[in-house]
Amino acid sequence: MMIAPVCLMITAAAATLSIHPSRSVFFFYETVTLSCAVPGSFSSWTVKRNTSTKSSVSCETWGQFNGSSCTIKGVYPSDSGVYWCESDSGECSNTINIRVATGVILQGPAVPLTEGDSVILNCSYKEKYAKESTSNFSAAFYRNGTFIGTMPEGRLSLTHVSKENEGFYKCKHPTKGQSPEIWLEVRGDDDDDGNDNDNTNNPVSVGAIGVIVGGVVITVIAVIAVIAWCKF
């Protein structure tokens, strides 16, 4: 199980992680680039990841780091995990989950949509060692396990999305099986960008926890001291 990064929460858009191609599921051996958009200098920021085997590992050990970007040439299942940008002082960007699979996959956005956006979910199939994938087949689509419909070209178009479109989506090839589910998140216009309460996008602040716990301990000690003083 992949765990979220443990670092300081950002209170503004200090850094934003993006991914190219802009999706969350990839076939074996695809090239993926993750980029940190940071106002001003990015010299103090790097891309990190948590996988099923290692935590908080910097780009230099698993990818090619170039300025504010990290490229993985030829992803493999071991590259599946949680990715984020982190500064030298421990600040974090949003997170992006990546999954590497073979067979049937559903290609959808790696970052949340905003109400009113439009998106195309693309059902693709590729053999492990094939050079190209195909979507030229009739694909059945499901949301939260409920059948939506069959699309002859393997694409599901969602226009002017709302919260009602949010959920887990998957597709099914006529003969090759079904894709893993992907999560489609839709945020309202009044949602606070970068300051929501989503634990996935706002990593836990160790420093903040320490301050809170320390404050509680001091308060308890002070109360006990006052009670003891009153007794004597």
Side-chain angles (χ1 to χ4, degrees):
M1 180 181 70
M2 272 73 74
I3 59 174
V6 179
C7 48
L8 298 176
M9 290 188 296
I10 57 174
T11 56
T16 302
L17 178 65
S18 61
I19 186 170
H20 180 78
S22 184
R23 46 189 167 89
S24 58
V25 185
F26 297 89
F27 288 116
F28 281 45
Y29 314 128
E30 287 193 87
T31 295
V32 178
T33 299
L34 299 115
S35 301
C36 299
V38 185
S41 172
F42 1 87
S43 58
S44 62
W45 289 80
T46 189
V47 181
K48 289 190 174 183
R49 75 180 188 183
N50 287 343
T51 64
S52 59
T53 58
K54 296 182 180 180
S55 299
S56 194
V57 183
S58 298
C59 168
E60 289 82 355
T61 63
W62 46 264
Q64 297 180 1
F65 192 66
N66 181 18
S68 62
S69 299
C70 187
T71 299
I72 311 173
K73 292 187 175 181
V75 292
Y76 204 69
S78 57
D79 293 305
S80 298
V82 183
Y83 291 73
W84 70 96
C85 303
E86 185 172 329
S87 70
D88 291 342
S89 58
E91 295 175 299
C92 283
S93 69
N94 59 301
T95 60
I96 290 179
N97 290 277
I98 291 178
R99 181 168 182 172
V100 181
T102 189
V104 183
I105 70 170
L106 181 58
Q107 299 172 343
V111 296
L113 299 173
T114 301
E115 287 187 319
D117 288 347
S118 297
V119 67
I120 295 177
L121 304 182
N122 189 45
C123 192
S124 294
Y125 172 75
K126 182 183 178 183
E127 294 286 355
K128 183 175 181 180
Y129 298 107
K131 291 184 178 181
E132 301 293 337
S133 63
T134 179
S135 296
N136 189 24
F137 55 86
S138 180
F141 287 85
Y142 299 80
R143 174 179 170 271
N144 295 333
T146 301
F147 176 70
I148 298 174
T150 300
M151 306 301 164
E153 295 182 354
R155 295 177 176 87
L156 175 66
S157 297
L158 302 174
T159 58
H160 305 295
V161 297
S162 66
K163 279 288 189 179
E164 294 181 356
N165 296 113
E166 191 171 79
F168 289 98
Y169 287 77
K170 66 180 179 180
C171 65
K172 188 175 182 180
H173 188 284
T175 60
K176 302 297 184 179
Q178 64 184 19
S179 71
E181 287 185 325
I182 65 169
W183 169 250
L184 185 70
E185 182 178 352
V186 180
R187 294 181 178 176
D189 291 332
D190 56 348
D191 286 351
D192 189 4
D193 294 335
N195 288 304
D196 55 57
N197 294 320
D198 184 350
N199 290 331
T200 300
N201 291 321
N202 282 332
V204 178
S205 171
V206 175
I209 293 175
V211 170
I212 294 171
V213 173
V216 171
V217 172
I218 292 173
T219 302
V220 171
I221 293 174
V223 170
I224 294 174
V226 170
I227 294 174
W229 180 81
C230 290
K231 286 184 177 181
F232 292 99

